[in-house]
Amino acid sequence: MIYTTLTPKNEERSDQPMLRSERRDLSLSRLIRAGTEILCEQSYASMGVEQVLQRAGLSKGSFYHFFPSKEQFGLQVINHYADYFNRKLDRILSQTENSPLERLRLYIQEGIVGVERFEFRRGCLIGNLSQELGATQPLFRTALEAAFRSWQNKVADCLQQAIDAGELNASAEVQAFAEFFWTGWEGALIRAKVLGSTAPIKRFTDQFFKVLPRSL
Amino acid sequence: MIYTTLTPKNEERSDQPMLRSERRDLSLSRLIRAGTEILCEQSYASMGVEQVLQRAGLSKGSFYHFFPSKEQFGLQVINHYADYFNRKLDRILSQTENSPLERLRLYIQEGIVGVERFEFRRGCLIGNLSQELGATQPLFRTALEAAFRSWQNKVADCLQQAIDAGELNASAEVQAFAEFFWTGWEGALIRAKVLGSTAPIKRFTDQFFKVLPRSL
């Protein structure tokens, strides 16, 4: 999916006095957010600590105060990104005023808006890092797979609810289709980037809904 | 797909005398092959001309003798890679001793063997470069999209033959399913890399064959 938050600029900061622990939390969250934005747009290899600090509007010492290494920072960024979308999935897929499949469509629509908002510069951080580091970095591998897995389980739950609500045929294998969805989603984001258009995402998701086995 | 050739090592060279034009062609093809292997494994940004020459076993002057820039080299590598798989698709999808869908399965099996052979280090060059450069480099964009499109047309032809042979329902939208196939394939390669296993590719392609509308 596409991370749609922006690190606040320095001038937007509040002048309200803060406790030391609050300042600490704020710095930490700004670092993580800056790292997330950067890794949606460029490679892990090309991301510099200096660049993260600059984007977060923080001074030099603060990075190693929080993170023993760039690798540990990268892992926290992956977890933050995974959680961000887990919360988004929870929020949208629990809107019971819509049917389960409608909710999944709403989630997709939000994703497409995010892709357009950042003019295809931002990809999926999990997809990007999987491609860059999946084969070589075992520590990242585990975190990336956990992210995929958590999103997949939420979509599988949604498809199960669609069976329970009579939208899908009871024989639909929900885990298989949930994996199918995320696999295709990652591929569709890549094609959208090349075409500079969300059409490949729309075509993929339309096709996905067409092949879901409907209840008879 | 996965490029499974290897640039010949220096010691494997033949000592047979060659014409000047033959030497030229050989050097050119070694450079392109070396570039292809490198870009299946690492980013365009991190690929150095020196590295290409070293892998190709050629001396420093030869790169700029053939290519005015790294960018022009990259484009030729993309075209070479696209053609390599177009030929592979032509070869496997025309084996009329098997049914059209069996041929597609054979093509997939060769792809899986390639992934395993290079222990997940090699990804799809078109997918890799699309992710890295798709959003920013218009020249690459066109070449990458042309590659996707040519592969898609070949799979669409195969699916049309499956309709003609009575394997698929005549209502199956062959272009939509061919695009669906390649979209998911690119995503499946990413997941395979993270898991260090071809299981995600097998699960994706099994699911793809399951959702194809069979003739009644």
Side-chain angles (χ1 to χ4, degrees):
Chain A
M1 287 304 280
I2 303 299
Y3 186 72
T4 52
T5 67
L6 285 167
T7 307
K9 298 221 167 51
N10 290 358
E11 58 267 33
E12 290 167 21
R13 286 180 178 181
S14 156
D15 288 329
Q16 216 179 325
M18 282 191 293
L19 295 174
R20 195 190 173 96
S21 65
E22 288 171 331
R23 268 206 304 277
R24 197 192 125 89
D25 289 352
L26 184 64
S27 297
L28 180 61
S29 89
R30 285 199 173 161
L31 285 169
I32 299 265
R33 197 142 46 147
T36 309
E37 289 171 15
I38 293 169
L39 289 179
C40 289
E41 296 183 11
Q42 66 182 66
S43 71
Y44 176 77
S46 71
M47 176 182 74
V49 167
E50 191 55 49
Q51 181 191 15
V52 176
L53 288 164
Q54 203 177 356
R55 189 153 192 159
L58 294 171
S59 62
K60 205 151 185 173
S62 47
F63 187 90
Y64 291 104
H65 176 70
F66 291 110
F67 308 103
S69 64
K70 182 178 159 187
E71 196 183 34
Q72 284 302 319
F73 176 64
L75 283 174
Q76 290 217 30
V77 166
I78 292 172
N79 292 337
H80 166 74
Y81 187 88
D83 285 348
Y84 175 86
F85 286 106
N86 275 322
R87 283 194 305 272
K88 187 170 263 196
L89 282 160
D90 283 342
R91 178 172 58 75
I92 300 178
L93 299 183
S94 67
Q95 291 169 2
T96 47
E97 64 271 29
N98 300 300
S99 80
L101 290 188
E102 281 166 0
R103 290 175 230 159
L104 187 56
R105 277 204 184 271
L106 285 173
Y107 182 76
I108 290 164
Q109 274 159 22
E110 272 212 19
I112 290 174
V113 168
V115 171
E116 284 168 345
R117 181 165 169 208
F118 291 96
E119 295 167 344
F120 308 96
R121 287 191 318 281
R122 284 196 183 171
C124 171
L125 184 144
I126 302 301
N128 293 358
L129 292 187
S130 295
Q131 193 156 82
E132 185 185 356
L133 308 170
T136 51
Q137 307 253 10
L139 214 59
F140 279 80
R141 213 179 230 191
T142 310
L144 292 166
E145 180 51 22
F148 271 132
R149 184 65 53 184
S150 62
W151 300 346
Q152 182 174 318
N153 286 339
K154 290 191 193 290
V155 169
D157 282 351
C158 179
L159 296 177
Q160 184 57 53
Q161 288 172 42
I163 292 177
D164 298 342
E167 284 186 291
L168 288 185
N169 193 297
S171 71
E173 300 156 288
V174 295
Q175 278 290 346
F177 274 107
E179 178 168 355
F180 202 52
F181 172 76
W182 286 111
T183 299
W185 179 266
E186 292 297 331
L189 283 181
I190 293 176
R191 291 205 74 166
K193 220 180 203 181
V194 170
L195 281 177
S197 156
T198 51
I201 306 177
K202 289 174 186 155
R203 285 199 297 267
F204 162 72
T205 51
D206 282 351
Q207 197 68 11
F208 176 78
F209 281 103
K210 266 190 202 161
V211 302
L212 282 176
R214 300 303 167 130
S215 56
L216 301 173
Chain B
M1 286 303 280
I2 303 299
Y3 187 74
T4 51
T5 67
L6 285 167
T7 306
K9 298 222 168 52
N10 290 358
E11 58 268 31
E12 290 166 21
R13 287 181 179 180
S14 157
D15 287 329
Q16 215 179 326
M18 280 192 294
L19 296 174
R20 196 190 171 94
S21 64
E22 289 174 330
R23 267 207 306 277
R24 198 193 124 88
D25 289 353
L26 183 65
S27 296
L28 181 60
S29 89
R30 284 199 175 162
L31 284 170
I32 299 264
R33 197 142 46 147
T36 308
E37 289 172 14
I38 292 170
L39 288 179
C40 289
E41 295 183 12
Q42 65 182 67
S43 70
Y44 176 76
S46 71
M47 176 181 75
V49 167
E50 192 55 49
Q51 181 192 14
V52 176
L53 287 163
Q54 202 177 357
R55 190 153 190 159
L58 294 170
S59 63
K60 204 151 189 174
S62 48
F63 188 89
Y64 291 104
H65 177 70
F66 290 110
F67 308 102
S69 63
K70 182 179 159 187
E71 196 181 34
Q72 285 302 320
F73 176 64
L75 283 173
Q76 290 217 31
V77 165
I78 291 173
N79 292 337
H80 166 74
Y81 187 89
D83 286 348
Y84 174 87
F85 286 105
N86 275 321
R87 284 194 305 275
K88 187 169 262 195
L89 281 159
D90 282 342
R91 177 172 57 76
I92 300 178
L93 299 184
S94 66
Q95 292 169 0
T96 49
E97 64 271 30
N98 301 301
S99 81
L101 291 188
E102 280 167 2
R103 290 174 229 160
L104 187 55
R105 276 203 185 274
L106 285 174
Y107 182 76
I108 290 164
Q109 272 158 24
E110 273 214 18
I112 290 172
V113 168
V115 171
E116 282 167 347
R117 180 165 169 210
F118 291 96
E119 294 168 344
F120 308 95
R121 284 190 320 280
R122 285 196 182 171
C124 171
L125 184 145
I126 303 298
N128 292 358
L129 291 188
S130 295
Q131 193 157 83
E132 185 184 356
L133 307 170
T136 51
Q137 307 254 9
L139 215 61
F140 280 80
R141 215 179 229 191
T142 310
L144 293 165
E145 179 52 20
F148 270 133
R149 183 65 53 182
S150 61
W151 299 348
Q152 183 175 316
N153 286 338
K154 291 191 191 291
V155 170
D157 281 352
C158 178
L159 296 177
Q160 183 58 52
Q161 289 171 43
I163 291 177
D164 299 343
E167 282 186 291
L168 287 186
N169 192 297
S171 70
E173 302 155 288
V174 296
Q175 278 290 347
F177 274 107
E179 178 168 354
F180 201 52
F181 172 76
W182 285 110
T183 299
W185 179 267
E186 291 297 331
L189 282 181
I190 293 176
R191 291 206 72 166
K193 218 178 205 184
V194 170
L195 280 177
S197 156
T198 52
I201 306 177
K202 290 174 186 155
R203 284 199 297 266
F204 161 72
T205 51
D206 282 350
Q207 196 69 10
F208 176 78
F209 281 103
K210 266 191 202 161
V211 302
L212 281 175
R214 300 301 168 131
S215 56
L216 301 173

